[in-house]
């Protein structure tokens, strides 16, 4: 995501850092290892980012409160423990991959929900068209006639597929979750689905066959 916005970030042994800017809904630091807390705290404390920014503590090992951060939420990493249902979709919606810029803009409007009721100008869009050129990323949506009623992103990396940015419009049938898994697995066959959730979504996805495998936390540093 940051690469699509022109600031790809940098990797150290234990952290990914974005020093260039703040991307809404995405962190400026992500921990990559479990046992390097001292080094991670030092690098995070030295990160000079204007405005409000976040840290994704991938192993829930850091205490960032003394450094001016507030815990935004705690979550659980998930892995799909069984095959998604292989039956034909039952909801009657059409699941389609997103291939074109106009479709991606409509997908983003649906993802934003009621607060984003119009197509964003390209310079204000979060999901840039260049993402459609990445073979490791698949946007897909469920269409009821011409309306998008559900969607997600599947991202292939490190031998697994991350399922993220899932959404369902109000009143969408529960079977769409199982159908979503079918299409995510079909996009990258033979790879396990992973992700993370918290709150009610954590419980709901566990009923679809996901299992918690570890904790993470997301921290937020307020502007000023």
């Amino acid at each position: 995501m940051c690469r699509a916005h022109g600031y790809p970030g940098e990797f150290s042994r234990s952290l990914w850092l974005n020093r260039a800017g703040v991307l809404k809904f995405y962190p400026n630091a992500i921990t990559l290892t479990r046992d390097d807390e001292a080094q991670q705290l030092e690098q995070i404390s030295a990160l000079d980012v204007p405005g409000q920014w976040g840290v994704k503590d991938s192993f829930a090992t850091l205490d960032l409160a003394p450094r001016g951060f507030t815990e935004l939420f705690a979550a659980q990493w998930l892995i799909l423990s069984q095959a998604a249902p292989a039956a034909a979709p039952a909801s009657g919606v059409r699941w389609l991959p997103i291939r074109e810029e106009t479709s991606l803009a409509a997908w983003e409007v649906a993802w934003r929900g009621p607060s984003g009721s119009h197509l964003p100008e390209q310079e204000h869009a979060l999901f840039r068209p260049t993402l459609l050129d990445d073979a490791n990323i698949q946007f897909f949506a469920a269409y009821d006639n011409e309306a998008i009623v559900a969607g997600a992103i599947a991202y292939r990396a490190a031998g697994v597929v991350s399922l993220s940015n899932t959404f369902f419009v109000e009143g969408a049938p529960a079977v769409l979750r199982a159908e979503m898994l079918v299409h995510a697995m079909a996009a990258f066959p033979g790879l396990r689905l992973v992700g993370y959730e918290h709150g009610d979504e954590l419980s709901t996805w566990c009923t679809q066959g996901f299992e918690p495998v570890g904790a993470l936390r997301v921290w937020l540093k307020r502007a000023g």
Side-chain angles (χ1 to χ4, degrees):
M1 284 295 294
C2 287
R3 186 185 304 113
H5 284 259
Y7 33 90
E10 62 191 69
F11 287 90
S12 69
R13 194 185 78 83
S14 63
L15 279 174
W16 173 85
L17 296 173
N18 166 28
R19 304 177 188 273
V22 176
L23 185 60
K24 190 175 183 180
F25 305 123
Y26 288 84
N28 279 69
I30 301 174
T31 61
L32 305 176
T33 58
R34 184 188 296 275
D35 300 318
D36 296 294
E37 290 96 333
Q39 182 181 15
Q40 290 166 348
L41 289 171
E42 180 180 353
Q43 290 183 271
I44 290 169
S45 297
L47 190 59
D48 183 19
V49 179
Q52 180 175 280
W53 58 282
V55 174
K56 183 178 177 181
D57 177 12
S58 303
F59 302 93
T61 57
L62 302 182
D63 181 8
L64 294 175
R67 289 165 168 78
F69 289 82
T70 301
E71 184 179 304
L72 185 62
F73 63 84
Q76 287 286 323
W77 290 107
L78 299 172
I79 187 167
L80 190 62
S81 60
Q82 59 190 32
S91 67
V93 304
R94 295 177 296 122
W95 285 91
L96 298 174
I98 301 298
R99 305 289 193 197
E100 299 176 351
E101 183 176 336
T102 55
S103 299
L104 180 61
W107 185 97
E108 180 166 339
V109 169
W111 172 80
R112 288 178 182 269
S115 63
S117 58
H118 62 280
L119 295 179
E121 297 293 334
Q122 184 171 337
E123 62 268 25
H124 301 303
L126 183 61
F127 301 98
R128 298 294 175 86
T130 54
L131 294 169
L132 299 177
D133 299 327
D134 190 331
N136 291 312
I137 300 173
Q138 177 66 74
F139 291 80
F140 52 97
Y143 289 83
D144 185 1
N145 293 318
E146 299 305 314
I148 296 177
V149 296
I153 300 173
Y155 174 58
R156 176 176 54 193
V160 295
V161 176
S162 170
L163 186 68
S164 68
N165 299 86
T166 60
F167 66 89
F168 305 88
V169 302
E170 185 176 357
V175 71
L176 290 183
R177 290 181 184 267
E179 292 180 13
M180 180 179 286
L181 297 183
V182 170
H183 287 273
M185 295 176 73
F188 300 104
L191 299 180
R192 299 286 294 276
L193 287 183
V194 299
Y196 68 86
E197 289 292 353
H198 67 289
D200 292 341
E201 283 295 294
L202 172 60
S203 301
T204 301
W205 280 113
C206 285
T207 66
Q208 298 293 327
F210 281 94
E211 290 184 349
V213 292
L216 73 146
R217 287 196 292 257
V218 174
W219 297 84
L220 192 64
K221 190 167 189 178
R222 304 290 180 182

PDB file of all heavy atoms in Angstrom, residues 90-108:
ATOM      1  N   ALA A  90     -24.333 -20.228  -2.887  1.00  0.00           N
ATOM      2  CA  ALA A  90     -25.763 -20.394  -2.676  1.00  0.00           C
ATOM      3  C   ALA A  90     -26.513 -19.072  -2.572  1.00  0.00           C
ATOM      4  O   ALA A  90     -27.734 -19.064  -2.532  1.00  0.00           O
ATOM      5  CB  ALA A  90     -26.004 -21.209  -1.404  1.00  0.00           C
ATOM      6  N   SER A  91     -25.815 -17.952  -2.512  1.00  0.00           N
ATOM      7  CA  SER A  91     -26.482 -16.680  -2.266  1.00  0.00           C
ATOM      8  C   SER A  91     -27.113 -16.081  -3.518  1.00  0.00           C
ATOM      9  O   SER A  91     -28.002 -15.241  -3.421  1.00  0.00           O
ATOM     10  CB  SER A  91     -25.479 -15.676  -1.701  1.00  0.00           C
ATOM     11  OG  SER A  91     -24.512 -15.340  -2.685  1.00  0.00           O
ATOM     12  N   GLY A  92     -26.622 -16.457  -4.678  1.00  0.00           N
ATOM     13  CA  GLY A  92     -27.127 -15.888  -5.915  1.00  0.00           C
ATOM     14  C   GLY A  92     -26.399 -14.639  -6.382  1.00  0.00           C
ATOM     15  O   GLY A  92     -26.698 -14.113  -7.462  1.00  0.00           O
ATOM     16  N   VAL A  93     -25.432 -14.139  -5.600  1.00  0.00           N
ATOM     17  CA  VAL A  93     -24.658 -12.976  -6.036  1.00  0.00           C
ATOM     18  C   VAL A  93     -23.578 -13.431  -7.014  1.00  0.00           C
ATOM     19  O   VAL A  93     -23.271 -14.618  -7.125  1.00  0.00           O
ATOM     20  CB  VAL A  93     -24.008 -12.249  -4.842  1.00  0.00           C
ATOM     21  CG1 VAL A  93     -25.063 -11.851  -3.813  1.00  0.00           C
ATOM     22  CG2 VAL A  93     -22.917 -13.101  -4.193  1.00  0.00           C
ATOM     23  N   ARG A  94     -22.991 -12.455  -7.729  1.00  0.00           N
ATOM     24  CA  ARG A  94     -21.895 -12.742  -8.657  1.00  0.00           C
ATOM     25  C   ARG A  94     -20.590 -12.279  -8.019  1.00  0.00           C
ATOM     26  O   ARG A  94     -20.435 -11.108  -7.698  1.00  0.00           O
ATOM     27  CB  ARG A  94     -22.098 -11.996  -9.979  1.00  0.00           C
ATOM     28  CG  ARG A  94     -23.307 -12.437 -10.770  1.00  0.00           C
ATOM     29  CD  ARG A  94     -23.473 -11.585 -12.020  1.00  0.00           C
ATOM     30  NE  ARG A  94     -23.750 -10.193 -11.676  1.00  0.00           N
ATOM     31  CZ  ARG A  94     -23.008  -9.161 -12.054  1.00  0.00           C
ATOM     32  NH1 ARG A  94     -21.920  -9.351 -12.794  1.00  0.00           N
ATOM     33  NH2 ARG A  94     -23.337  -7.931 -11.715  1.00  0.00           N
ATOM     34  N   TRP A  95     -19.656 -13.186  -7.815  1.00  0.00           N
ATOM     35  CA  TRP A  95     -18.332 -12.838  -7.306  1.00  0.00           C
ATOM     36  C   TRP A  95     -17.402 -12.599  -8.494  1.00  0.00           C
ATOM     37  O   TRP A  95     -17.248 -13.462  -9.350  1.00  0.00           O
ATOM     38  CB  TRP A  95     -17.778 -13.960  -6.435  1.00  0.00           C
ATOM     39  CG  TRP A  95     -18.416 -14.033  -5.082  1.00  0.00           C
ATOM     40  CD1 TRP A  95     -19.504 -14.768  -4.728  1.00  0.00           C
ATOM     41  CD2 TRP A  95     -18.006 -13.331  -3.911  1.00  0.00           C
ATOM     42  NE1 TRP A  95     -19.795 -14.580  -3.401  1.00  0.00           N
ATOM     43  CE2 TRP A  95     -18.890 -13.708  -2.871  1.00  0.00           C
ATOM     44  CE3 TRP A  95     -16.970 -12.432  -3.627  1.00  0.00           C
ATOM     45  CZ2 TRP A  95     -18.772 -13.206  -1.571  1.00  0.00           C
ATOM     46  CZ3 TRP A  95     -16.849 -11.936  -2.344  1.00  0.00           C
ATOM     47  CH2 TRP A  95     -17.735 -12.319  -1.333  1.00  0.00           C
ATOM     48  N   LEU A  96     -16.792 -11.422  -8.537  1.00  0.00           N
ATOM     49  CA  LEU A  96     -15.923 -11.068  -9.652  1.00  0.00           C
ATOM     50  C   LEU A  96     -14.629 -10.463  -9.149  1.00  0.00           C
ATOM     51  O   LEU A  96     -14.627  -9.721  -8.150  1.00  0.00           O
ATOM     52  CB  LEU A  96     -16.622 -10.054 -10.570  1.00  0.00           C
ATOM     53  CG  LEU A  96     -17.917 -10.504 -11.257  1.00  0.00           C
ATOM     54  CD1 LEU A  96     -18.540  -9.322 -11.989  1.00  0.00           C
ATOM     55  CD2 LEU A  96     -17.645 -11.651 -12.203  1.00  0.00           C
ATOM     56  N   PRO A  97     -13.517 -10.737  -9.823  1.00  0.00           N
ATOM     57  CA  PRO A  97     -12.272 -10.032  -9.512  1.00  0.00           C
ATOM     58  C   PRO A  97     -12.358  -8.593 -10.005  1.00  0.00           C
ATOM     59  O   PRO A  97     -13.048  -8.303 -10.989  1.00  0.00           O
ATOM     60  CB  PRO A  97     -11.212 -10.823 -10.270  1.00  0.00           C
ATOM     61  CG  PRO A  97     -11.954 -11.432 -11.417  1.00  0.00           C
ATOM     62  CD  PRO A  97     -13.341 -11.722 -10.919  1.00  0.00           C
ATOM     63  N   ILE A  98     -11.665  -7.705  -9.313  1.00  0.00           N
ATOM     64  CA  ILE A  98     -11.622  -6.305  -9.722  1.00  0.00           C
ATOM     65  C   ILE A  98     -10.426  -6.132 -10.652  1.00  0.00           C
ATOM     66  O   ILE A  98      -9.281  -6.376 -10.261  1.00  0.00           O
ATOM     67  CB  ILE A  98     -11.490  -5.374  -8.507  1.00  0.00           C
ATOM     68  CG1 ILE A  98     -12.676  -5.577  -7.550  1.00  0.00           C
ATOM     69  CG2 ILE A  98     -11.383  -3.924  -8.944  1.00  0.00           C
ATOM     70  CD1 ILE A  98     -14.026  -5.260  -8.148  1.00  0.00           C
ATOM     71  N   ARG A  99     -10.688  -5.721 -11.891  1.00  0.00           N
ATOM     72  CA  ARG A  99      -9.643  -5.623 -12.901  1.00  0.00           C
ATOM     73  C   ARG A  99      -9.412  -4.199 -13.398  1.00  0.00           C
ATOM     74  O   ARG A  99      -8.350  -3.913 -13.934  1.00  0.00           O
ATOM     75  CB  ARG A  99     -10.016  -6.493 -14.112  1.00  0.00           C
ATOM     76  CG  ARG A  99     -10.301  -7.946 -13.809  1.00  0.00           C
ATOM     77  CD  ARG A  99      -9.062  -8.711 -13.445  1.00  0.00           C
ATOM     78  NE  ARG A  99      -9.299 -10.152 -13.464  1.00  0.00           N
ATOM     79  CZ  ARG A  99      -8.512 -11.036 -12.885  1.00  0.00           C
ATOM     80  NH1 ARG A  99      -7.423 -10.627 -12.245  1.00  0.00           N
ATOM     81  NH2 ARG A  99      -8.783 -12.331 -12.941  1.00  0.00           N
ATOM     82  N   GLU A 100     -10.393  -3.314 -13.251  1.00  0.00           N
ATOM     83  CA  GLU A 100     -10.322  -2.002 -13.866  1.00  0.00           C
ATOM     84  C   GLU A 100     -10.395  -0.902 -12.818  1.00  0.00           C
ATOM     85  O   GLU A 100     -10.933  -1.089 -11.718  1.00  0.00           O
ATOM     86  CB  GLU A 100     -11.468  -1.836 -14.867  1.00  0.00           C
ATOM     87  CG  GLU A 100     -11.442  -2.853 -16.002  1.00  0.00           C
ATOM     88  CD  GLU A 100     -12.645  -2.724 -16.906  1.00  0.00           C
ATOM     89  OE1 GLU A 100     -13.573  -1.963 -16.553  1.00  0.00           O
ATOM     90  OE2 GLU A 100     -12.645  -3.366 -17.968  1.00  0.00           O
ATOM     91  N   GLU A 101      -9.877   0.263 -13.195  1.00  0.00           N
ATOM     92  CA  GLU A 101      -9.795   1.398 -12.280  1.00  0.00           C
ATOM     93  C   GLU A 101     -11.169   1.838 -11.783  1.00  0.00           C
ATOM     94  O   GLU A 101     -11.345   2.126 -10.595  1.00  0.00           O
ATOM     95  CB  GLU A 101      -9.082   2.552 -12.974  1.00  0.00           C
ATOM     96  CG  GLU A 101      -8.871   3.772 -12.104  1.00  0.00           C
ATOM     97  CD  GLU A 101      -8.082   4.837 -12.828  1.00  0.00           C
ATOM     98  OE1 GLU A 101      -7.329   4.503 -13.757  1.00  0.00           O
ATOM     99  OE2 GLU A 101      -8.224   6.023 -12.453  1.00  0.00           O
ATOM    100  N   THR A 102     -12.158   1.900 -12.680  1.00  0.00           N
ATOM    101  CA  THR A 102     -13.484   2.336 -12.253  1.00  0.00           C
ATOM    102  C   THR A 102     -14.112   1.344 -11.285  1.00  0.00           C
ATOM    103  O   THR A 102     -14.792   1.740 -10.331  1.00  0.00           O
ATOM    104  CB  THR A 102     -14.397   2.533 -13.467  1.00  0.00           C
ATOM    105  OG1 THR A 102     -14.425   1.330 -14.255  1.00  0.00           O
ATOM    106  CG2 THR A 102     -13.909   3.687 -14.331  1.00  0.00           C
ATOM    107  N   SER A 103     -13.881   0.053 -11.513  1.00  0.00           N
ATOM    108  CA  SER A 103     -14.396  -0.967 -10.595  1.00  0.00           C
ATOM    109  C   SER A 103     -13.711  -0.875  -9.242  1.00  0.00           C
ATOM    110  O   SER A 103     -14.347  -1.075  -8.193  1.00  0.00           O
ATOM    111  CB  SER A 103     -14.203  -2.365 -11.190  1.00  0.00           C
ATOM    112  OG  SER A 103     -14.901  -2.505 -12.403  1.00  0.00           O
ATOM    113  N   LEU A 104     -12.415  -0.557  -9.243  1.00  0.00           N
ATOM    114  CA  LEU A 104     -11.693  -0.414  -7.983  1.00  0.00           C
ATOM    115  C   LEU A 104     -12.226   0.779  -7.191  1.00  0.00           C
ATOM    116  O   LEU A 104     -12.368   0.712  -5.961  1.00  0.00           O
ATOM    117  CB  LEU A 104     -10.202  -0.244  -8.257  1.00  0.00           C
ATOM    118  CG  LEU A 104      -9.297  -0.082  -7.024  1.00  0.00           C
ATOM    119  CD1 LEU A 104      -9.391  -1.315  -6.127  1.00  0.00           C
ATOM    120  CD2 LEU A 104      -7.853   0.167  -7.447  1.00  0.00           C
ATOM    121  N   ALA A 105     -12.530   1.872  -7.882  1.00  0.00           N
ATOM    122  CA  ALA A 105     -13.090   3.035  -7.193  1.00  0.00           C
ATOM    123  C   ALA A 105     -14.437   2.700  -6.567  1.00  0.00           C
ATOM    124  O   ALA A 105     -14.726   3.088  -5.426  1.00  0.00           O
ATOM    125  CB  ALA A 105     -13.227   4.196  -8.173  1.00  0.00           C
ATOM    126  N   ALA A 106     -15.281   1.955  -7.294  1.00  0.00           N
ATOM    127  CA  ALA A 106     -16.572   1.546  -6.750  1.00  0.00           C
ATOM    128  C   ALA A 106     -16.383   0.590  -5.571  1.00  0.00           C
ATOM    129  O   ALA A 106     -17.129   0.641  -4.583  1.00  0.00           O
ATOM    130  CB  ALA A 106     -17.416   0.888  -7.840  1.00  0.00           C
ATOM    131  N   TRP A 107     -15.391  -0.292  -5.671  1.00  0.00           N
ATOM    132  CA  TRP A 107     -15.072  -1.209  -4.565  1.00  0.00           C
ATOM    133  C   TRP A 107     -14.696  -0.402  -3.323  1.00  0.00           C
ATOM    134  O   TRP A 107     -15.148  -0.716  -2.216  1.00  0.00           O
ATOM    135  CB  TRP A 107     -13.919  -2.124  -4.992  1.00  0.00           C
ATOM    136  CG  TRP A 107     -13.543  -3.196  -4.020  1.00  0.00           C
ATOM    137  CD1 TRP A 107     -13.942  -4.500  -4.034  1.00  0.00           C
ATOM    138  CD2 TRP A 107     -12.671  -3.060  -2.886  1.00  0.00           C
ATOM    139  NE1 TRP A 107     -13.364  -5.186  -2.984  1.00  0.00           N
ATOM    140  CE2 TRP A 107     -12.583  -4.333  -2.267  1.00  0.00           C
ATOM    141  CE3 TRP A 107     -11.949  -2.006  -2.339  1.00  0.00           C
ATOM    142  CZ2 TRP A 107     -11.820  -4.561  -1.129  1.00  0.00           C
ATOM    143  CZ3 TRP A 107     -11.191  -2.225  -1.188  1.00  0.00           C
ATOM    144  CH2 TRP A 107     -11.131  -3.496  -0.601  1.00  0.00           C
ATOM    145  N   GLU A 108     -13.890   0.638  -3.485  1.00  0.00           N
ATOM    146  CA  GLU A 108     -13.476   1.435  -2.332  1.00  0.00           C
ATOM    147  C   GLU A 108     -14.664   2.148  -1.694  1.00  0.00           C
ATOM    148  O   GLU A 108     -14.759   2.229  -0.468  1.00  0.00           O
ATOM    149  CB  GLU A 108     -12.405   2.455  -2.718  1.00  0.00           C
ATOM    150  CG  GLU A 108     -11.954   3.294  -1.537  1.00  0.00           C
ATOM    151  CD  GLU A 108     -10.675   4.075  -1.769  1.00  0.00           C
ATOM    152  OE1 GLU A 108      -9.886   3.703  -2.668  1.00  0.00           O
ATOM    153  OE2 GLU A 108     -10.450   5.059  -1.052  1.00  0.00           O
TER     154      GLU A 108
END
